[in-house]
Amino acid sequence: MKRYLTILALAFIPTMVLAQIVVNSTFKPLSYEELIISAQAEAYRQQKMQERFDEYQDRAYNCYNKGDYNGFIYYSDYALKTGWYNSKLYYDRGAVFERLHEYGKAKKEYKRALKKGYYPAQSAYKLCKIRQKAWKNLTSKIDNIHR
């Protein structure tokens, strides 16, 4: 862990060399120690965000496996708000939105998955468009029957 933080800190030093703090309307460059502390703090923050992502993603898939699709969406939203992502998570969100007959949202999630490099989302997107048309036709026929 210490080695990881040191490597990460060294990676941040070149980008943070120009960092400054304001003291009495004059700029004072950060010291080497302050830069290291800042880099370590950022590394720690990133580690915690990844842990939160993993936790929320696990909760989301537990809900998914139980058939609680709204719970899956709820926890996957929190997972994605951490700033981390998994392209398959976007794909699975699309599948869940499809099951909930929210085809517009499903297509958006499939597009995101594809943009993030999950290529099975391309065929899922095309099928989603077909299912959306079929669903619209079915619901319009049901509406006509009830009139």
Side-chain angles (χ1 to χ4, degrees):
M1 180 65 179
K2 187 175 181 181
R3 182 178 179 193
Y4 170 75
L5 291 175
T6 304
I7 292 170
L8 193 57
L10 292 175
F12 275 90
I13 288 172
T15 60
M16 298 179 70
V17 169
L18 300 176
Q20 300 175 342
I21 57 172
V22 177
V23 179
N24 297 331
S25 299
T26 59
F27 290 102
K28 177 187 171 201
L30 292 175
S31 70
Y32 177 77
E33 290 80 15
E34 290 170 324
L35 287 172
I36 294 296
I37 291 170
S38 177
Q40 287 175 335
E42 179 61 20
Y44 179 77
R45 188 185 74 76
Q46 288 294 323
Q47 178 188 6
K48 287 298 178 189
M49 293 306 268
Q50 185 177 13
E51 288 172 3
R52 282 192 191 133
F53 172 80
D54 291 340
E55 178 186 338
Y56 286 129
Q57 181 177 248
D58 289 346
R59 288 183 185 184
Y61 281 110
N62 285 337
C63 290
Y64 182 86
N65 292 333
K66 293 177 185 174
D68 178 9
Y69 300 128
N70 290 317
F72 174 80
I73 296 299
Y74 177 82
Y75 284 115
S76 64
D77 280 342
Y78 276 107
L80 294 171
K81 286 179 184 177
T82 65
W84 290 83
Y85 73 92
N86 174 339
S87 58
K88 187 175 182 323
L89 182 61
Y90 285 113
Y91 175 84
D92 291 337
R93 284 172 55 88
V96 166
F97 279 125
E98 254 192 284
R99 288 182 183 190
L100 298 172
H101 303 291
E102 296 184 32
Y103 295 101
K105 290 179 181 180
K107 290 190 302 186
K108 286 181 185 177
E109 296 299 324
Y110 288 140
K111 282 183 181 179
R112 287 180 182 147
L114 190 58
K115 189 176 180 180
K116 304 287 185 184
Y118 195 77
Y119 297 107
Q122 188 170 16
S123 59
Y125 176 81
K126 290 176 183 177
L127 287 172
C128 182
K129 286 172 60 174
I130 293 168
R131 289 182 187 122
Q132 183 179 24
K133 286 181 184 179
W135 181 254
K136 282 182 182 178
N137 289 337
L138 179 64
T139 56
S140 67
K141 287 178 183 178
I142 292 171
D143 287 343
N144 289 335
I145 290 172
H146 289 296
R147 289 184 185 177

